[in-house]
Amino acid sequence: MPEPLLRVDNLSVAFDGNPVVESLSLELHAGETLAIVGESGSGKSVSALGLVNLLPANAQVSGERRLNGTLLSSLSKAEWNGVRGNTVGVVFQEPMTSLNPLHRIGKQIGESLRLHQGLRGKEARARAKALLEQVKLPRSDELLDAWPHQLSGGQRQRVMIAMAIANNPSLLIADEPTTALDVTVQQDILSLLKELRDQHGMGLLLISHDLNLVRRHADRVCVMYQGQIQETGPVEQVFRQPQSGYTQSLLAAEPEGRPATVTAKSPLLTVQQLRVSFKRPKPGLFKRQPPAFEAVKATDLTIAPGETLGIVGESGSGKTTLASAIMRLVTSQGDITLGEAHLSKLSGDDLRRQRHRLQMVFQDPYGALSPRMPVFDIVSEGLRFHYPRLSDTEITQRVHQTLNEVDLPESCAARYPHEFSGGQRQRIAVARAIILEPELLVLDEPTSALDRTVQKQLVTLLRELQARRQLSYLFISHDLAVVRAMAHRIMVLKDGDVVEQGACLDVLASPQHPYTKALITAADLSELPR
Amino acid sequence: MTTLSSRFSPITRRRFAAFKSNRRAWVSLWVFGVVFLLSLFAELIANDKPIIMQYDGQWYVPLLVDYPETEFDGFLPTRTDYLDPFVQQQIEENGWALWPLIPFSYQTLDMQMKRPSPAPPDGRHWLGTDDQGRDVLARVIYGFRLSVAFALVLTAGSLVMGVFVGGVQGYFGGKVDLVGQRITEIWSGLPVLFLLIILASFVQPGFWWLLGIMLLFSWLGLVDIVRAEFLRARNLEYVRAAKAMGLPSRLIMWRHVLPNAMVATLTFIPFLFTGAIGTLTALDFLGFGLPPGAPSLGELAAQGKNNLHAPWLGITAFMTLATMLSLLVFIGEGLRDAFDPRHVQQRPSPAKEPRHA
C-alpha cells in the first residue's frame, strides 16, 4: 500500500471539555471516496471540520493528523490558510447560505484563485469560466456575472464545488453536500463529485446520513455513533455483513409495513378546483402588473375517513402550499368541504370553531413548538380555547392521556421543548394536534428532519393512531420510502400540477409519468417484503 | 417541580452568564440597583423631621404625622418646625429624637445659616447649599429618585404603546402595516420641544403633564423594532400551528409572538431610559420642566450655570448625571451584548439535521 493521502490517529474533539468525538482513526487514499455515516449528533461533521481546524474557538482538537505526510496539528495560522482552499477543498451542506449574496459568482470563485494562485483580471475570469464548465453548468459566461440568488440550489452547490476544486486540491471534504437538495439533483451532484475525483486524483471525504447515497457512491465507509467509530470497511462488506449492533439497527431502519385498509367509502374531505396564486411584484410604477404566480393549479382530491393520501413532490412543487390552502392558512379559490362543513365559505369565528376538526403537524420539530411554553401549556392550549367549559382536572387528565397515547411519559408535561430530542418534539406536536380529536390531520413532512431510526418509530405511531381513531391523513413528503409505509393513495405534484395519482403501490410499481419515474429511480427504494 | 435553572431555556441561561461575565455591566447593575433602592427611602435619609421621637414619655412619628407646635409646648398651633432651636431645645430636655442622616429635605431652607447662599460644602451641608439656601445633597437624592421614577413610568408607558402599535403592524402586515407606518412617520415629524414650550405658556406643567406629553412621542422609537420582530415571527411554524388550532389573533400575539419578540425590545429599554432622563433634565434646565421647587437635576445644573462662582453646584449636577447615565449605558451595553449571538461564545453547531428545503 502506498502512503495514504490523509491519515488520522486518535482524533478527539471536545467543546469546553465535553468530548464530542473520541479517538477517531482513519485513512484516505488518493482517488478514493471514504464516507462517514451517522445520525445527527454523532460527531461526523465535527470530526471533518476538526480535521481542517474550522471549528469555533472553544473546541479543543487533539490527535495526529497527517496530510501528504505533513503534520497538520503543527501548522501555524498562516500555514493553515495556505492549506485550506488550496490542498483541501470543502463543500458545505447549505448551498443557500454558503455563497455570499452580495458578490457575483465570478468574483467569489476568483477570490480563491487570487489568494492561492495570484491570478487576476482576465486570467482569473478565464479560469473561473473553465471551472464552471468543469462542474457542468450551462451558459458559464452569463453565470460569471450572475448573483447567487438567481441560481437554483443545485446550481449553487455546483458553484460551491467549483470553488472547492479551484486550486486542484488533493483532498475534498463534502459535508452533507446533497442534503438540502431534491432527490433527482442529489444523484447528479454525487456523480459529478465522483467524476471530478477521478479527473484530479483527489481523495474524497463524504459525510452523509443517507445510507442509499453512501452505498452507491462511496468505496469505503466508516460508521459513527456518539462520537465513536463503530465500524470501518469497504461499502459492500459493511452493508452485507454489518458487524456492530448499531450498524445493523441503522440498516434495518428503513420504514416498513403498510397502513391498514380503508373501509369507509364516502369521503371526509372533498376538494374541488382548488387554486392558489400569489401576486408578483410590479416591475415598475408604470409597468403592467405581471400575471400572478400559480403555486397550485386547479386540483381535486378526496380523502375517506381512515385513509392516507400521500402527496409527493420536490421542493417548489406546491405541496406545502396545497396543505396550507386546505388548512385555510393561505387564501385560495375553489371548494373545500369537510364532512358537511363548507370550509371555503367560512371565515372569522365560524371558521375558528371548525378548526379543531382539522389539524396540522409541521416539518420542523424545533420551530413548531413555542420555546417559552412548557409542554403542558402547548398541548392544552387548543383544548382550553375550543372547550372552555372543561375543568382544570379534566384538562390535566386529557393532556396526560394524550401524552400516553403518543408514547411520552406524563412527567414531561412540566418540561420545556428544548429538553426534548427532535423525535420527542414531533410527538409533542402530534399530541397537540390529536388532543382536539380532529378528523383530518395534515402532516407536512413530519419525518424529514428526523433520523432514520426515529422516522420509523414515528411512522409506526402515526399508523397506530390512524387505526385507533379512524383519522384521515394528508401526508406530505419527498421521501418515497416513508410515503410507501404510510399512504393508501398518492398524488405526485410538479410545479403546482398533479402529474400522476393512484393507489400507492401501483404508482410506485409502474409509474406512468416520466417525472414520477425519475423520482422513483432516484429514491432507490429497496424491495418491499410482502 | 422543575428547578429554576431548567425553567429557563439554555439560551436564556447562556445570555445571563454572558451578562454576568461582563464585569462592567454587572457591577453597574448592582451599583445602580443599590443607589435606586436607597433613593426610594429618601425620606428616611434626608428629611427636616425626626423619624421617630419620644416627648414626655409619649411616642411621636413626625415622619408620618404632622404635629402642631403646641404638642411640644410651643405657642403656635401650626406645623412644627423641628429645626427651630426652641423646638430642638424642648426635645432635648423632655425626650429624644432619631434624626435622618441628613437633617434637611429637598425644599428645606436652612434658617440657621451663618454664611450667604450659595454656601460651599462644610460639615453641616456636605455638598453645600444652592442659591436659596437648600441642601444640595438632599436635592440630589430626591432629584435622582424623581428622574428615575419619571424614566421608569415613561419607559413602561412607551413600552406598552410601542409594543402594541408595532405588534399590530407587524402581525397583520399588508395594508395595516403600510398605513400604520405612514401615520407613525408623520407623527414622529411633530416637534416635541415646541409643543412643550407652547404648553408651558398656558398650563403649569407638572410631573404628569410632562409625562403625558412625552409619552405621546417616546414610543415611536420602539415601533420599528417590535414591528420587525412580529413580521418575522408571524411566519414561524409555532405561530402557524396556533393559527391552525383556531386561536384568535389577540391570543396568538399575546402568548406566542410577544414573549419571543420581547428579547429585541428588552435590549432597547436601557437606552429609552437614558433618553427619558436626558430629556427631563434638559427641559428642567431650560425652565420648561417640573414646577419651581421640585427637586430636579436639571434645575441644579441651571443654578450651576447661573452661579459660576459656586462651582460645587455645577460639579455636583454634572457628576450625578454623568454617573447615572454612564451606569445605565453600561448596563444597556451589557444587555445588548448578552443578546447578540456574535458576542456569545459559539457552541458546537447543533449537529446537521437532514433537511429538505
Side-chain angles (χ1 to χ4, degrees):
Chain A
M1 274 300 243
E3 174 69 10
L5 170 72
L6 173 77
R7 179 205 284 280
V8 179
D9 277 320
N10 275 321
L11 179 85
S12 297
V13 183
F15 284 98
D16 298 326
N18 303 322
V20 179
V21 176
E22 283 172 295
S23 54
L24 173 104
S25 303
L26 50 84
E27 282 180 7
L28 174 64
H29 293 270
E32 183 191 42
T33 304
L34 172 67
I36 302 184
V37 190
E39 303 195 325
S40 54
S42 60
K44 51 190 193 307
S45 292
V46 169
S47 34
L49 295 178
L51 277 180
V52 286
N53 266 20
L54 278 176
L55 290 173
N58 61 339
Q60 300 92 40
V61 184
S62 63
E64 207 181 81
R65 295 163 277 163
R66 279 180 192 279
L67 180 69
N68 281 333
T70 19
L71 193 62
L72 289 179
S73 35
S74 66
L75 293 184
S76 69
K77 208 167 175 187
E79 285 169 323
W80 262 118
N81 290 340
V83 169
R84 286 192 295 243
N86 200 8
T87 43
V88 180
V90 187
V91 180
F92 294 99
Q93 174 177 4
E94 273 297 339
M96 299 294 164
T97 51
S98 305
L99 289 172
N100 186 334
L102 298 180
H103 288 304
R104 292 174 195 274
I105 300 297
K107 193 173 169 193
Q108 307 210 19
I109 302 178
E111 188 174 25
S112 133
L113 293 172
R114 187 168 55 80
L115 283 173
H116 292 291
Q117 297 180 17
L119 293 183
R120 267 162 221 286
K122 278 205 180 121
E123 275 178 316
R125 200 176 158 86
R127 173 88 178 114
K129 184 168 179 269
L131 282 167
L132 288 183
E133 277 159 10
Q134 255 186 32
V135 294
K136 299 191 178 146
L137 278 168
R139 301 175 288 117
S140 48
D141 253 334
E142 291 170 43
L143 277 185
L144 282 178
D145 293 317
W147 300 100
H149 67 86
Q150 296 171 315
L151 272 57
S152 73
Q155 286 175 322
R156 289 188 218 193
Q157 202 58 304
R158 281 173 197 266
V159 172
M160 281 302 294
I161 294 173
M163 285 166 70
I165 61 164
N167 299 302
N168 300 320
S170 47
L171 171 66
L172 186 64
I173 298 178
D175 183 3
E176 303 261 10
T178 59
T179 309
L181 305 176
D182 286 324
V183 263
T184 44
V185 185
Q186 287 183 355
Q187 301 296 337
D188 297 347
I189 294 282
L190 283 166
S191 314
L192 172 71
L193 282 174
K194 201 169 189 174
E195 205 181 309
L196 291 170
R197 181 199 74 188
D198 294 339
Q199 242 172 43
H200 296 262
M202 296 182 292
L204 178 60
L205 188 63
L206 176 70
I207 294 158
S208 180
H209 70 281
D210 190 332
L211 294 170
N212 276 335
L213 286 183
V214 168
R215 184 171 199 166
R216 208 190 282 182
H217 293 278
D219 302 317
R220 286 192 305 126
V221 63
C222 160
V223 182
M224 280 188 84
Y225 179 62
Q226 296 194 338
Q228 282 171 338
I229 290 195
Q230 301 294 313
E231 192 163 354
T232 317
V235 166
E236 277 314 304
Q237 190 192 323
V238 172
F239 277 73
R240 287 254 169 76
Q241 295 148 333
Q243 300 297 314
S244 75
Y246 174 71
T247 318
Q248 284 163 8
S249 69
L250 198 63
L251 286 173
E254 181 101 339
E256 53 188 23
R258 291 277 304 144
T261 44
V262 189
T263 47
K265 282 279 166 272
S266 61
L268 168 75
L269 176 82
T270 315
V271 172
Q272 279 171 335
Q273 295 293 305
L274 184 75
R275 221 173 304 158
V276 183
S277 51
F278 296 115
K279 243 193 231 168
R280 269 188 255 233
K282 262 188 181 184
L285 191 58
F286 299 108
K287 300 271 170 60
R288 193 171 295 176
Q289 178 79 39
F293 168 69
E294 286 206 60
V296 177
K297 291 167 195 154
T299 305
D300 297 332
L301 60 89
T302 57
I303 306 180
E307 189 189 29
T308 305
L309 174 66
I311 295 190
V312 181
E314 303 196 321
S315 53
S317 61
K319 48 192 198 309
T320 299
T321 314
L322 176 64
S324 308
I326 292 174
M327 289 297 298
R328 293 287 319 268
L329 290 175
V330 295
T331 42
S332 57
Q333 292 101 48
D335 264 349
I336 308 167
T337 324
L338 183 72
E340 71 297 342
H342 285 272
L343 289 186
S344 45
K345 298 210 173 76
L346 298 177
S347 64
D349 277 346
D350 297 333
L351 178 62
R352 267 199 278 277
R353 271 195 286 278
Q354 292 292 330
R355 281 211 185 271
H356 70 97
R357 300 177 61 193
L358 69 171
Q359 281 296 302
M360 190 163 179
V361 173
F362 294 87
Q363 171 178 10
D364 181 8
Y366 295 90
L369 305 176
S370 179
R372 280 158 210 276
M373 286 165 84
V375 171
F376 184 86
D377 290 358
I378 291 175
V379 176
S380 66
E381 188 173 28
L383 206 57
R384 284 183 201 278
F385 179 75
H386 284 287
Y387 306 99
R389 264 179 245 139
L390 287 180
S391 70
D392 278 356
T393 41
E394 280 173 309
I395 286 178
T396 316
Q397 205 186 340
R398 290 274 278 275
V399 169
H400 287 169
Q401 207 179 324
T402 314
L403 287 176
N404 281 331
E405 210 170 334
V406 297
D407 297 336
L408 285 171
E410 286 173 14
S411 60
C412 70
R415 299 199 277 159
Y416 282 79
H418 66 84
E419 298 172 59
F420 296 94
S421 70
Q424 286 171 320
R425 288 185 204 210
Q426 208 59 305
R427 280 162 197 271
I428 296 170
V430 172
R432 169 175 64 183
I434 62 167
I435 199 168
L436 294 174
E437 291 173 356
E439 294 152 54
L440 172 73
L441 199 55
V442 175
L443 300 149
D444 184 6
E445 303 253 14
T447 58
S448 64
L450 306 176
D451 287 324
R452 265 288 184 220
T453 43
V454 185
Q455 278 185 5
K456 192 178 171 184
Q457 293 164 6
L458 191 69
V459 166
T460 318
L461 171 75
L462 288 171
R463 276 204 310 250
E464 279 171 23
L465 287 173
Q466 181 168 49
R468 202 179 308 147
R469 298 180 163 226
Q470 277 298 296
L471 273 168
S472 301
Y473 288 152
L474 183 73
F475 191 89
I476 296 172
S477 183
H478 69 278
D479 188 340
L480 289 177
V482 176
V483 171
R484 184 174 64 182
M486 283 294 301
H488 297 98
R489 289 186 296 127
I490 61 174
M491 252 169 83
V492 183
L493 237 61
K494 185 178 196 290
D495 299 330
D497 239 344
V498 180
V499 296
E500 188 161 358
Q501 57 180 322
C504 176
L505 294 182
D506 293 349
V507 173
L508 291 182
S510 51
Q512 300 300 313
H513 194 275
Y515 178 69
T516 322
K517 282 180 190 160
L519 274 181
I520 292 173
T521 327
D524 199 16
L525 290 173
S526 55
E527 271 305 304
L528 188 70
R530 303 228 175 191
Chain B
M1 264 333 275
T2 46
T3 58
L4 189 70
S5 67
S6 72
R7 269 188 59 80
F8 295 108
S9 66
I11 193 150
T12 315
R13 271 179 270 156
R14 197 158 76 221
R15 280 167 179 162
F16 184 68
F19 182 77
K20 231 171 124 173
S21 68
N22 184 343
R23 283 200 65 78
R24 192 167 57 185
W26 186 240
V27 170
S28 301
L29 181 68
W30 270 105
V31 173
F32 188 81
V34 167
V35 172
F36 179 57
L37 204 71
L38 282 179
S39 79
L40 283 183
F41 300 102
E43 274 84 2
L44 296 177
I45 297 171
N47 213 335
D48 52 4
K49 315 178 243 206
I51 300 169
I52 196 164
M53 59 183 277
Q54 212 176 12
Y55 188 84
D56 275 348
Q58 281 240 7
W59 289 94
Y60 293 91
V61 195
L63 188 69
L64 303 176
V65 188
D66 282 334
Y67 301 105
E69 219 171 276
T70 46
E71 208 52 48
F72 309 110
D73 303 323
F75 310 107
L76 302 166
T78 52
R79 220 160 56 104
T80 316
D81 177 9
Y82 297 92
L83 291 175
D84 191 326
F86 168 74
V87 176
Q88 285 197 334
Q89 198 189 343
Q90 286 287 332
I91 294 171
E92 211 165 286
E93 284 168 9
N94 300 303
W96 56 269
L98 177 66
W99 279 89
L101 195 62
I102 301 158
F104 304 99
S105 183
Y106 63 94
Q107 48 189 355
T108 317
L109 305 178
D110 188 1
M111 298 303 183
Q112 276 74 50
M113 282 278 286
K114 310 239 159 25
R115 297 170 302 167
S117 306
D122 60 5
R124 185 173 169 81
H125 298 285
W126 296 351
L127 288 177
T129 64
D130 65 5
D131 55 8
Q132 293 169 46
R134 297 174 298 197
D135 188 72
V136 172
L137 182 56
R139 287 188 72 76
V140 165
I141 293 171
Y142 282 89
F144 177 85
R145 181 172 72 172
L146 190 75
S147 296
V148 176
F150 183 84
L152 265 181
V153 182
L154 186 65
T155 309
S158 325
L159 210 59
V160 172
M161 288 177 74
V163 167
F164 180 78
V165 175
V168 168
Q169 281 183 21
Y171 183 79
F172 293 106
K175 289 227 169 65
V176 177
D177 186 33
L178 198 73
V179 173
Q181 278 295 90
R182 296 297 86 75
I183 290 175
T184 47
E185 270 162 25
I186 294 169
W187 191 242
S188 66
L190 292 180
V192 192
L193 196 62
F194 292 121
L195 268 178
L196 277 169
I197 294 173
I198 294 166
L199 184 89
S201 65
F202 52 90
V203 288
Q204 173 64 62
F207 183 86
W208 296 107
W209 265 109
L210 277 178
L211 197 73
I213 297 278
M214 297 207 10
L215 200 53
L216 286 180
F217 299 94
S218 62
W219 53 274
L220 288 162
L222 268 171
V223 170
D224 294 336
I225 298 172
V226 178
R227 170 179 163 266
E229 283 294 312
F230 271 66
L231 270 177
R232 187 178 67 86
R234 71 183 185 136
N235 288 322
L236 293 183
E237 285 198 339
Y238 59 81
V239 175
R240 294 182 54 203
K243 268 187 214 167
M245 215 187 290
L247 292 189
S249 298
R250 62 189 155 81
L251 276 185
I252 298 179
M253 287 168 77
W254 178 250
R255 266 196 233 150
H256 293 273
V257 188
L258 186 63
N260 295 292
M262 279 318 277
V263 168
T265 319
L266 195 66
T267 55
F268 198 68
I269 288 179
F271 302 103
L272 212 64
F273 208 87
T274 44
I277 293 178
T279 319
L280 179 70
T281 311
L283 285 173
D284 281 340
F285 181 79
L286 296 175
F288 300 116
L290 295 168
S296 105
L297 298 173
E299 194 240 25
L300 188 65
Q303 285 205 15
K305 182 191 139 228
N306 295 334
N307 299 288
L308 288 177
H309 60 280
W312 56 90
L313 294 174
I315 290 174
T316 308
F318 169 76
M319 288 306 290
T320 315
L321 280 168
T323 317
M324 176 161 65
L325 295 181
S326 302
L327 287 177
L328 283 170
V329 168
F330 291 153
I331 296 170
E333 212 177 39
L335 263 183
R336 191 196 58 202
D337 288 356
F339 282 111
D340 186 346
R342 280 166 300 181
H343 280 267
V344 178
Q345 181 67 266
Q346 259 190 322
R347 292 259 130 187
S349 60
K352 298 235 160 78
E353 297 286 336
R355 261 190 45 210
H356 210 79

